[in-house]
Amino acid sequence: MKKGILFLLFLVYMLTACQEKKSNSTQQKVFLNKEKKEKKENMNVHNTPIYRINFESYLPFELYLNDVLIDKNNSNGSVDFFETLNEYILSSGKQELKIKLYPFIGKSKVSYKDMEDIKVQIYKSPSLNDETFTLIQDIKFPNFKDNLPNFEYKTYFEVEVPYKNIGWMNSKDLTKEENLLDEVVLFYENVRTILNNGDYEKYFALNKLADDEIYKSLYLGRDKEKEDKEKEINRIIDSKGKMKKLEDYVLKYYGNGRLVRLEKLDGSSPLCADRDDVESYYNFFLHKKLDSNRLVIVR
């Protein structure tokens, strides 16, 4: 009887010990998984570099990254902005920045003195909302004596990003395409109709590739994407029945001939809604994949 009681106590002890061991093992797994998740989240937080350009100019200008137009101004007057560059950066490596400067309105040439106050700087921050900016390049223009009809300067800077977007890497050279203007105008007319109908779902479908890559390059989460979409939905609804006719445009090539779009003479998009409070412009770049003849919005 005594032996039976001892055996029973031993059995209870062993079962309890096994249960505790299993419980401790489960807790350890939960702890390790949590630690791994936190480590991954922290890694993502610190691996979301944002590159920006600080630009200040009194001269008319055009500013390009990898031959994609970032901004331009055709008139005299001070222009300054602090622009995010990531959507034009497809992958890590060398990036080409091109600056074109033109004479003041009323003058025929640019002098080096005209450019003295122009500021061009490339900054990096740890994330989109982090205001800790590190200067990675302060661009200085080379001196020249003779005045020029215009001034063009190229420089390069290195970036390191955790993503790789396809973008227009594998796109056709559209400068070799025949009847391209007719195709592009037809595409714009279709988009104009979609916007004039306030059909944001069709517009989002056309922009899916571009939106996916832009959100990826800016490391936006679902909440931020949803917020951005809601703003665009409101803008498209406000544009319903207010889209101007397509007119006074020219076909422009970018991305070393792999991107195209229509522009008015001042550089703005001919896709414009004449809203009560403000004119609302819709901008994008088109491309064709190497294995396709279809124009697609890529940015």
Side-chain angles (χ1 to χ4, degrees):
M1 183 69 179
K2 189 174 182 181
K3 286 183 179 180
I5 293 171
L6 287 173
F7 176 75
L8 186 61
L9 290 173
F10 175 75
L11 189 62
V12 170
Y13 168 77
M14 290 299 293
L15 288 171
T16 304
C18 288
Q19 188 64 34
E20 287 180 355
K21 186 176 180 181
K22 186 178 179 181
S23 178
N24 290 337
S25 177
T26 302
Q27 288 178 1
Q28 188 176 15
K29 281 183 180 179
V30 170
F31 175 77
L32 288 173
N33 287 337
K34 185 179 179 183
E35 188 180 47
K36 188 177 179 181
K37 184 181 178 183
E38 288 176 351
K39 188 175 181 181
K40 187 176 180 181
E41 287 175 351
N42 289 334
M43 181 187 70
N44 289 337
V45 166
H46 296 292
N47 196 26
T48 54
I50 294 291
Y51 293 87
R52 291 181 171 91
I53 184 166
N54 181 46
F55 186 84
E56 299 176 19
S57 175
Y58 285 91
L59 288 172
F61 68 89
E62 293 174 9
L63 188 65
Y64 300 80
L65 183 64
N66 300 320
D67 201 44
V68 180
L69 185 68
I70 300 170
D71 207 341
K72 71 185 292 184
N73 179 46
N74 294 329
S75 58
N76 293 339
S78 176
V79 173
D80 63 271
F81 54 80
F82 196 52
E83 187 88 11
T84 301
L85 299 176
N86 283 49
E87 67 180 272
Y88 309 108
I89 296 172
L90 298 182
S91 61
S92 298
K94 185 186 288 186
Q95 313 295 314
E96 180 193 84
L97 183 70
K98 181 169 63 178
I99 304 149
K100 290 184 178 181
L101 299 170
Y102 297 93
F104 286 113
I105 304 301
K107 289 189 175 183
S108 59
K109 292 188 176 182
V110 177
S111 70
Y112 182 73
K113 186 173 177 59
D114 292 335
M115 299 160 47
E116 281 182 341
D117 295 327
I118 292 177
K119 185 178 288 186
V120 188
Q121 298 167 316
I122 306 295
Y123 284 89
K124 178 183 177 181
S125 62
S127 65
L128 193 61
N129 297 318
D130 195 314
E131 296 186 1
T132 306
F133 303 114
T134 303
L135 178 66
I136 64 173
Q137 192 162 336
D138 190 2
I139 295 158
K140 303 296 182 186
F141 299 120
N143 199 347
F144 56 89
K145 293 181 180 179
D146 297 329
N147 294 349
L148 303 170
N150 59 71
F151 176 81
E152 182 175 319
Y153 183 70
K154 288 182 183 179
T155 187
Y156 301 87
F157 62 97
E158 292 281 339
V159 307
E160 188 174 345
V161 292
Y163 63 85
K164 186 170 184 178
N165 282 329
I166 300 300
W168 49 98
M169 281 185 183
N170 303 316
S171 303
K172 286 184 176 181
D173 181 354
L174 296 175
T175 61
K176 299 175 181 178
E177 296 274 307
E178 295 181 4
N179 304 316
L180 187 66
L181 177 59
D182 293 339
E183 286 185 60
V184 175
V185 170
L186 189 62
F187 190 98
Y188 270 69
E189 287 286 6
N190 180 47
V191 175
R192 181 192 172 277
T193 300
I194 288 171
L195 293 170
N196 208 46
N197 291 336
D199 194 341
Y200 55 83
E201 289 185 352
K202 283 187 179 179
Y203 186 71
F204 286 161
L206 289 176
N207 280 273
K208 188 177 187 321
L209 169 64
D211 287 346
D212 286 349
E213 290 200 340
I214 290 171
Y215 293 148
K216 185 178 176 182
S217 70
L218 298 175
Y219 323 105
L220 297 185
R222 294 292 182 190
D223 290 343
K224 288 294 184 182
E225 287 182 28
K226 185 179 178 182
E227 183 181 325
D228 181 69
K229 292 286 188 186
E230 286 174 354
K231 287 180 182 178
E232 192 70 349
I233 287 171
N234 291 332
R235 186 165 82 108
I236 293 168
I237 290 173
D238 287 344
S239 299
K240 186 176 180 179
K242 300 174 184 176
M243 295 299 296
K244 293 181 179 181
K245 290 183 179 180
L246 288 179
E247 55 187 6
D248 302 326
Y249 50 75
V250 293
L251 183 67
K252 300 285 286 187
Y253 295 87
Y254 296 103
N256 300 307
R258 291 172 293 176
L259 302 176
V260 290
R261 73 178 186 181
L262 297 182
E263 290 181 11
K264 297 178 79 69
L265 295 178
D266 63 359
S268 63
S269 173
L271 278 172
C272 178
D274 194 8
R275 290 161 52 185
D276 296 334
D277 53 344
V278 66
E279 289 186 326
S280 186
Y281 293 89
Y282 292 85
N283 293 286
F284 48 75
F285 293 95
L286 301 171
H287 84 135
K288 286 184 180 181
K289 292 182 180 180
L290 285 175
D291 58 354
S292 174
N293 288 316
R294 188 166 66 95
L295 286 168
V296 176
I297 296 175
V298 70
R299 279 297 177 276

